[in-house]
Amino acid sequence: MIGGRGNNPDNEPLFGETKRSDKIIQYILTAAVTFMVLFTVASAFFYFENKALGEKIPITNIFYALSLMLIVIGQIVMIIWYREGDLDPKFRRFIYFNAFTTILLCVAGNLFFHLQSNCADCPACPSPTTQPPPTTLPPTSRAVL
């Protein structure tokens, strides 16, 4: 057929139709990654020690959030290319791998942000009431460089 949708190869999808189970997996993975990334970025900017005392956001939190967002932007570009048909189907596994890696990075970031110990509670640190030992050298010893 010249004008219809018969056996014209131009109207067929490049890689075939997507299975329903694949779409469900993609939606679940997308929701999990989106939730984890948004929660991690929010934690980086709004959850840190001594916020009530007027302390500024630590630079490590900002750097981590920025790095995570750049990784996610690259992942989004790869997903767009995959859906447009510019990437081979074998890249689907790589996209899944990157999604799980992003989730693991978010878990690590959240553990870092939320489990920072207060130094006063740390048994290795001296309490604020005790004086640290003197760090001066005895007068007879000299430091050699």
Side-chain angles (χ1 to χ4, degrees), residues 49-71:
E49 290 185 17
N50 301 329
K51 182 169 64 171
L53 299 176
E55 183 179 310
K56 294 182 180 180
I57 300 172
I59 191 72
T60 55
N61 292 16
I62 295 171
F63 182 74
Y64 191 87
L66 180 67
S67 301
L68 184 63
M69 293 306 294
L70 291 174
I71 290 170

Side-chain angles (χ1 to χ4, degrees), residues 4-141:
R5 295 185 56 143
N7 292 329
N8 188 0
D10 294 337
N11 291 334
E12 294 178 11
L14 185 58
F15 299 118
E17 292 294 325
T18 319
K19 296 179 193 174
R20 182 170 169 80
S21 62
D22 287 344
K23 283 188 176 186
I24 291 173
I25 291 171
Q26 290 171 1
Y27 289 139
I28 290 173
L29 198 57
T30 301
V33 170
T34 303
F35 172 75
M36 289 298 292
V37 167
L38 290 176
F39 183 76
T40 303
V41 170
S43 294
F45 287 106
F46 300 117
Y47 187 86
F48 53 92
E49 290 185 17
N50 301 329
K51 182 169 64 171
L53 299 176
E55 183 179 310
K56 294 182 180 180
I57 300 172
I59 191 72
T60 55
N61 292 16
I62 295 171
F63 182 74
Y64 191 87
L66 180 67
S67 301
L68 184 63
M69 293 306 294
L70 291 174
I71 290 170
V72 169
I73 288 171
Q75 179 76 4
I76 290 171
V77 169
M78 190 177 298
I79 290 171
I80 290 171
W81 288 346
Y82 178 78
R83 287 188 179 174
E84 288 177 352
D86 293 338
L87 292 177
D88 289 332
K90 63 184 174 184
F91 282 97
R92 182 180 64 187
R93 289 184 181 160
F94 186 64
I95 291 171
Y96 290 160
F97 173 78
N98 281 344
F100 286 120
T101 305
T102 304
I103 289 173
L104 289 176
L105 284 172
C106 290
V107 168
N110 286 319
L111 288 174
F112 176 75
F113 299 144
H114 295 282
L115 294 180
Q116 292 179 357
S117 66
N118 188 357
C119 195
D121 298 333
C122 179
C125 296
S127 66
T129 58
T130 61
Q131 294 293 328
T135 57
T136 59
L137 296 173
T140 57
S141 64

